[in-house]
Amino acid sequence: MGIATQIIGLIACLAFLVITHEFGHYCFARIFKTRVDKFYMFFNPGFSILRAKRFDGKWHFSFFSTQTPESWNEHPDNTEWGLGWLPLGGYCSINGMVDETTKPGDLPAEPQPWEFRAKPAWQRLFIILGGVLVNFITALILYVIVLFAWGEDYIPVDNAKYGMHYSQVAQEAGFQNGDQIFSIDGTKPEKTGDITGAVLIDGAQRVVVNRNKSIFTGDSTNTQEVSVKEKVTVYLDKHFAQRLIGSEKSEQYFCQFEMPFILDSVPSESPAAKAGLQRGDSLVGLNGVMLFSFYDYQKELAKHKNSDVTIAYIRDNQIDTTNVKLDADGKLGVFPVTPVALLGLKHVDYGFVKSIPNGISKGFTTLGDYVKQFKLVFTKEGATQLGGFGTIGSIFPKVWDWQIFWNMTAFLAIVLAFMNFLPIPALDGGYILFILVEMITRRKPSDKFIGYANTVGFILLLALLIYANGLDVLRAFK
């Protein structure tokens, strides 16, 4: 059910985003008295699941049809609404608009008053901008609603009593597991998102951490080891983010909260239960090697799949050992105590009034961060991390959660708005570019040129879609 829930979440999100995006085009087209021939959720190559059109004072429907009923064509002013069978997007077919599915020769020789091409440039600009504008406004509204309905929950960075656990790339740059982040380029972070944003998006270069240091006090006859904190500055070079995203999938993070491996639940049939481990046990060693971090423990266990290992653990302040037969995945079959339980969660309620400016601010910040990190796509490392529908679907939780769903939908609405704004033929941004050139030069590009440009753009986008989803397939079989 977990994967099914993710698929449902992805399709529901795409359907919502497609409807809102195309509705933006539709609204501005109708405002400027431009005919909209079809409005479809999902694509309908070959046939449509549903067609609907209102004329003669009532709605008319057609199910599982290969083409529009002939009688409906007698009412060209009315829009055909439909549901396609291919959930990869949708479209709003505006009369008189040259796109990748329309040839200039398909249009009447003379532009008609109701056609897109007959409208002034400024009206055509708003019709095209409608989808991007509505997507972005939708994201802002969703962020406001989420903050008002659920508030915000996060673990403050100051609560990292065990410090942070760093990826291999971060450790190579000079960080040590257990370092507590004090400031980044002079600014103290409040959330882990602040850390990631500063290091990977803003390109921060100076990170100050509090690091445990052992010193010895006393004299030659009575010496004590004492742990103290010292501030250490770690300098990052400009290629740090590229190295991080180019690393193995399991290491594509900067840092996360360090935590010991304390058992919260031990299912009765698990390898751990059969070895006598209990809830509350703290695992501290594996095959004679002392381990503190839950993440280090995971890595070491994965090296001993289907093997017998010796686990050292602490129970009632006493250390003991037991032999465990790991499963085929190198797992103990247990559930650890979570960072939330260990470190504590901070909840912020915004209320209706405060949720509005904070939601809008979150939307603009998300857009700004996405634009900044988009440059990584053009690096060798970034290109290998592109993903298709599988990658997008994987970010949805396997257990339905409305807060996460609407948060992800708001984020993807911003992504969709930005991507459509790019000046690429066949995307909204390509049309916007042509219209702006026309407004500046007072010369309109020919319908034939726009048609060829859109065809090229469509082919490039299709190739990118195949490439991104192909990477998903390859990752699935690794």
Side-chain angles (χ1 to χ4, degrees):
M1 287 302 294
I3 296 177
T5 301
Q6 288 180 310
I7 294 173
I8 292 171
L10 173 63
I11 294 176
C13 175
L14 288 178
F16 179 82
L17 294 178
V18 166
I19 289 174
T20 53
H21 180 88
E22 301 301 338
F23 192 66
H25 295 310
Y26 174 85
C27 287
F28 279 99
R30 301 307 292 169
I31 288 173
F32 297 125
K33 302 186 185 307
T34 306
R35 285 181 182 174
V36 178
D37 296 329
K38 295 181 180 182
F39 187 106
Y40 262 72
M41 181 171 74
F42 304 149
F43 295 120
N44 61 322
F47 74 95
S48 300
I49 296 176
L50 169 67
R51 299 175 191 265
K53 196 170 190 177
R54 182 176 173 80
F55 55 88
D56 294 336
K58 61 180 181 179
W59 282 96
H60 300 261
F61 299 93
S62 175
F63 296 93
F64 300 101
S65 55
T66 57
Q67 60 184 8
T68 302
E70 189 66 31
S71 61
W72 291 15
N73 296 326
E74 300 174 6
H75 307 273
D77 285 338
N78 297 29
T79 302
E80 177 186 314
W81 304 83
L83 175 64
W85 60 270
L86 187 61
L88 300 180
Y91 63 94
C92 175
S93 179
I94 299 174
N95 193 277
M97 181 175 175
V98 178
D99 58 22
E100 66 279 359
T101 64
T102 306
K103 298 178 181 178
D106 296 337
L107 301 175
E110 293 296 325
Q112 302 301 309
W114 57 80
E115 290 184 341
F116 174 83
R117 60 181 177 154
K119 301 301 177 180
W122 70 271
Q123 291 186 6
R124 284 183 277 122
L125 182 63
F126 274 102
I127 292 173
I128 298 300
L129 276 172
V132 172
L133 288 173
V134 170
N135 272 141
F136 187 63
I137 292 171
T138 298
L140 298 183
I141 293 173
L142 288 179
Y143 279 132
V144 169
I145 292 173
V146 168
L147 290 182
F148 172 66
W150 290 284
E152 190 175 16
D153 296 300
Y154 62 92
I155 302 174
V157 173
D158 284 345
N159 286 17
K161 60 184 178 181
Y162 305 108
M164 308 298 287
H165 187 88
Y166 297 87
S167 66
Q168 185 61 38
V169 173
Q171 291 183 51
E172 291 170 358
F175 294 95
Q176 295 181 10
N177 289 334
D179 285 351
Q180 295 176 313
I181 294 180
F182 178 76
S183 67
I184 304 176
D185 279 354
T187 301
K188 187 174 180 62
E190 168 69 13
K191 313 169 188 174
T192 53
D194 298 336
I195 298 173
T196 304
V199 172
L200 300 184
I201 298 176
D202 295 332
Q205 295 183 319
R206 185 168 57 88
V207 183
V208 179
V209 300
N210 287 321
R211 178 174 296 170
N212 287 326
K213 179 181 180 181
S214 295
I215 62 172
F216 294 90
T217 62
D219 52 33
S220 59
T221 60
N222 185 17
T223 303
Q224 275 189 316
E225 183 180 1
V226 180
S227 178
V228 297
K229 298 282 188 182
E230 69 169 344
K231 281 188 170 53
V232 177
T233 301
V234 179
Y235 294 94
L236 303 176
D237 62 67
K238 62 181 180 180
H239 300 297
F240 177 78
Q242 291 175 231
R243 290 201 304 276
L244 189 62
I245 64 174
S247 59
E248 294 183 11
K249 185 176 181 181
S250 61
E251 291 289 332
Q252 288 173 3
Y253 66 94
F254 173 57
C255 67
Q256 52 195 335
F257 289 108
E258 185 66 279
M259 52 184 286
F261 197 167
I262 303 174
L263 306 187
D264 183 57
S265 176
V266 184
S268 58
E269 295 302 315
S270 66
K274 294 175 181 178
L277 293 174
Q278 301 176 10
R279 182 177 186 273
D281 288 347
S282 180
L283 309 191
V284 294
L286 178 67
N287 288 342
V289 178
M290 299 305 293
L291 297 170
F292 168 79
S293 171
F294 165 76
Y295 307 106
D296 289 338
Y297 230 111
Q298 281 187 311
K299 291 179 183 178
E300 290 302 316
L301 288 173
K303 299 175 182 178
H304 301 280
K305 299 176 181 179
N306 277 326
S307 300
D308 289 309
V309 296
T310 301
I311 299 290
Y313 63 95
I314 295 176
R315 179 187 300 167
D316 298 328
N317 296 320
Q318 298 292 323
I319 190 167
D320 202 350
T321 60
T322 185
N323 293 323
V324 183
K325 172 71 174 180
L326 300 180
D327 62 19
D329 296 319
K331 302 289 186 182
L332 292 168
V334 299
F335 296 94
V337 174
T338 64
V340 171
L342 285 170
L343 307 178
L345 197 68
K346 182 176 181 178
H347 177 77
V348 180
D349 278 319
Y350 288 94
F352 179 72
V353 175
K354 288 186 177 180
S355 65
I356 296 175
N358 281 279
I360 293 174
S361 175
K362 186 173 183 178
F364 277 96
T365 300
T366 301
L367 175 61
D369 289 345
Y370 187 79
V371 172
K372 291 176 185 176
Q373 66 179 322
F374 188 72
K375 64 179 183 286
L376 295 174
V377 173
F378 300 100
T379 65
K380 175 184 176 182
E381 295 82 2
T384 62
Q385 299 306 316
L386 289 174
F389 293 105
T391 298
I392 298 173
S394 68
I395 66 179
F396 288 88
K398 293 184 178 181
V399 177
W400 190 268
D401 186 302
W402 282 109
Q403 181 181 3
I404 296 177
F405 173 79
W406 289 120
N407 255 320
M408 293 310 309
T409 302
F411 171 70
L412 291 175
I414 287 177
V415 172
L416 181 62
F418 173 73
M419 295 300 292
N420 263 287
F421 195 69
L422 294 176
I424 300 174
L427 292 179
D428 292 348
Y431 289 101
I432 292 171
L433 177 63
F434 294 146
I435 295 173
L436 290 177
V437 169
E438 175 188 347
M439 295 174 73
I440 294 171
T441 64
R442 304 294 181 180
R443 295 184 61 183
K444 183 178 180 181
S446 68
D447 290 340
K448 182 178 290 187
F449 171 78
I450 294 176
Y452 288 146
N454 284 335
T455 299
V456 172
F458 181 76
I459 293 173
L460 291 176
L461 291 173
L462 183 61
L464 180 61
L465 184 68
I466 294 173
Y467 172 73
N469 283 282
L471 289 178
D472 281 347
V473 174
L474 291 176
R475 294 185 192 112
F477 286 97
K478 280 187 176 180

